Amino acid sequence: MCVYSMQYIPVCSVVQKQLLIKIQSKFARQSNEVGRASRTRVCATQVDIPILQRWTALKVSESSCWKRASVERSHSWSTGATVAATAKKRATKKMARARADSRKNCERRKRVQFLLPEPPKKPTLGQMIFDREKGTFLGRTPKTWAQFMLFYAIFYAFLASLFWICIQVLLDGISMTEPKLQLERSLIGANPGLTVRPQLIHVEGPMVIAIDSKNPSNNDNWIELIDDFLNAYDNTTVDRKNCEFGDIHRPSDVCLVDMESFEGCSKANSYGYKTNEPCVFIKLNRIFGWKPETYDMPLEEMPEDLQAHINETIYEERRQIWLSCKASLVEALAQGPNKDSFDNISYSHGRGFPAYYYPYLNQPGYLSPLIPVQFKSLPQGQVLDVECRAWAKNIIYKAAPGDRMGSVAFQIIVN
């Protein structure tokens, strides 16, 4: 059987040549063996007969192989031409069909351009709630409703968890018993100020206490303000300690403010507002962790009455934040800076805030100490300018009206 390459060249001749070379080499070996054995010519002729038969068979097969190769070559050429012609016809038909389809599509697009879209049908209320044809409820299928609810459930669960984490981080950095920033690092600083009671709400500038001497019932509003302020001090349900100088105090102790020692500034005499001798209550503002540094000896800058009071106080009880008030009278219609000093001021409960009330550590039931100050024999038709100042080594004093520190100012008018 012959094998052909792509150019239709027969390979049979190569195989036959290789076989002939093998036969010739075998014949040579046999002849050599015959010569060595001194055989006759007849033996050699007997050996050559099968070799010649093989040679003739090879020649015949080679000629038949060349004939088959030529026949197959002509057949392949004719077959290739037929295939090429058939492919060309198919390509021509396909191109014609594509042109016809594109022409039809173009005509269809031209017709569609001039057609107006039909307006959508307006759904009824029942179809908006439940559409049987589309299988929708409120415009959504059950599958889309499930996807919608699942998405928002995950979304809001994520938001809630994020909010919870933020709150936990915030609460971990905040203490419920003490502020994070204290004293100099806080916004209010480490310099306490003074506050006066009674006090009206939303009052700009110095507070004015107006007293009606002709109709004392008009002064009831001041009495009510003081009562509301002192209600916390009258509360006996809180366990408070009766503190004294020289006692050992724990940070958790809450000292009692003795209201019975206020004498003329008590509720029994309406705090002096019915007799034109009003009382005001001065207290020191709370600052967490602040401890006073008191003056054990009087200073030259202090008023003479305060110096005398300190000298009369025994040394063990001088650990106090001292208080001094100065007042001056001015006629209501007077012009100019001329003022007359007013010295008829009474301190019925002492002139200092004892140091054992401090520091303030947010103790349950803690109350700031009070000093009642009473102004007696006030003249009518005049304005009394009052300024009260606290004295301690770590209290800065500033009398500027817009930036007052360590003091409080107010006015009293008797009509």
Side-chain angles (χ1 to χ4, degrees):
M1 182 177 180
C2 298
V3 181
Y4 298 92
S5 64
M6 296 301 294
Q7 291 83 8
Y8 298 100
I9 299 174
V11 190
C12 299
S13 59
V14 178
V15 177
Q16 291 172 354
K17 288 179 181 180
Q18 291 178 356
L19 291 174
L20 183 60
I21 291 170
K22 290 181 179 180
I23 294 169
Q24 289 177 354
S25 62
K26 188 175 182 179
F27 177 74
R29 285 195 303 271
Q30 289 180 358
S31 62
N32 291 332
E33 291 176 357
V34 171
R36 283 193 300 269
S38 301
R39 294 182 179 180
T40 59
R41 184 68 178 172
V42 177
C43 294
T45 306
Q46 292 175 355
V47 175
D48 290 338
I49 290 171
I51 295 174
L52 292 174
Q53 292 176 353
R54 294 181 181 179
W55 174 256
T56 54
L58 290 173
K59 284 293 184 181
V60 172
S61 64
E62 183 179 1
S63 61
S64 63
C65 186
W66 279 106
K67 288 180 181 180
R68 286 195 301 271
S70 60
V71 172
E72 290 177 0
R73 189 184 301 113
S74 61
H75 176 70
S76 63
W77 286 344
S78 61
T79 305
T82 306
V83 170
T86 306
K88 186 175 181 180
K89 289 180 180 179
R90 290 178 180 176
T92 305
K93 291 180 180 180
K94 189 173 182 180
M95 291 177 65
R97 195 181 303 111
R99 290 193 189 96
D101 293 339
S102 64
R103 194 178 297 108
K104 291 180 181 179
N105 292 333
C106 183
E107 293 177 355
R108 189 182 298 110
R109 286 196 296 270
K110 288 181 180 179
R111 289 196 302 271
V112 170
Q113 288 179 355
F114 296 99
L115 294 177
L116 295 176
E118 295 182 0
K121 296 181 179 179
K122 187 176 181 180
T124 61
L125 180 61
Q127 291 177 344
M128 293 174 64
I129 297 176
F130 179 71
D131 193 346
R132 292 186 178 181
E133 296 180 358
K134 299 180 179 179
T136 59
F137 177 74
L138 295 178
R140 294 178 182 272
T141 61
K143 182 180 179 181
T144 56
W145 271 116
Q147 294 174 350
F148 177 81
M149 298 301 293
L150 179 63
F151 168 77
Y152 277 100
I154 297 173
F155 176 71
Y156 285 114
F158 172 76
L159 288 183
S161 60
L162 182 63
F163 177 77
W164 182 81
I165 292 172
C166 293
I167 290 297
Q168 290 299 319
V169 172
L170 179 64
L171 292 178
D172 289 341
I174 295 177
S175 175
M176 295 300 178
T177 57
E178 61 182 42
K180 185 176 182 180
L181 302 177
Q182 301 178 14
L183 300 176
E184 289 82 3
R185 297 188 303 164
S186 63
L187 294 176
I188 61 176
N191 191 57
L194 290 177
T195 305
V196 61
R197 294 289 189 274
Q199 186 178 29
L200 296 174
I201 303 175
H202 306 301
V203 176
E204 296 182 0
M207 188 188 66
V208 179
I209 301 175
I211 299 174
D212 192 348
S213 60
K214 295 181 180 180
N215 190 2
S217 61
N218 293 335
N219 302 324
D220 291 343
N221 59 329
W222 301 110
I223 298 173
E224 291 175 0
L225 290 174
I226 296 176
D227 286 338
D228 294 339
F229 171 69
L230 296 179
N231 280 336
Y233 289 85
D234 292 333
N235 188 3
T236 58
T237 58
V238 181
D239 185 16
R240 297 185 178 93
K241 181 181 178 181
N242 191 8
C243 302
E244 295 182 0
F245 290 99
D247 294 343
I248 298 175
H249 301 281
R250 296 174 300 177
S252 59
D253 289 342
V254 177
C255 295
L256 176 68
V257 178
D258 189 9
M259 301 288 295
E260 296 179 357
S261 60
F262 287 176
E263 297 178 357
C265 293
S266 62
K267 187 175 182 179
N269 64 348
S270 303
Y271 312 107
Y273 284 86
K274 298 290 186 179
T275 59
N276 298 335
E277 294 181 350
C279 292
V280 295
F281 295 86
I282 308 296
K283 76 180 191 70
L284 202 65
N285 295 335
R286 300 177 186 178
I287 294 181
F288 189 91
W290 181 80
K291 295 181 180 180
E293 299 176 5
T294 59
Y295 289 109
D296 297 335
M297 299 298 293
L299 301 178
E300 295 181 357
E301 304 90 60
M302 293 180 178
E304 295 180 358
D305 59 338
L306 180 58
Q307 295 184 30
H309 179 78
I310 295 174
N311 291 328
E312 293 174 358
T313 305
I314 60 177
Y315 188 79
E316 289 78 7
E317 297 182 0
R318 291 185 182 182
R319 294 185 65 252
Q320 301 185 46
I321 305 167
W322 304 108
L323 179 71
S324 66
C325 294
K326 61 180 180 179
S328 57
L329 284 170
V330 181
E331 292 186 2
L333 300 177
Q335 300 291 333
N338 296 327
K339 297 182 180 180
D340 297 330
S341 61
F342 181 82
D343 299 327
N344 199 357
I345 302 174
S346 173
Y347 305 90
S348 60
H349 190 64
R351 300 195 59 174
F353 305 101
Y356 51 72
Y357 285 97
Y358 304 94
Y360 166 67
L361 300 175
N362 197 21
Q363 301 95 327
Y366 177 87
L367 294 172
S368 300
L370 299 176
I371 297 179
V373 180
Q374 188 174 17
F375 302 90
K376 297 182 178 181
S377 303
L378 288 174
Q380 297 182 2
Q382 289 184 331
V383 178
L384 182 66
D385 288 335
V386 183
E387 182 189 20
C388 295
R389 175 185 174 182
W391 294 85
K393 295 179 181 179
N394 54 347
I395 294 180
I396 301 173
Y397 169 71
K398 188 180 290 187
D403 189 19
R404 184 175 293 276
M405 299 174 65
S407 63
V408 63
F410 56 95
Q411 294 177 341
I412 300 176
I413 301 175
V414 178
N415 297 324

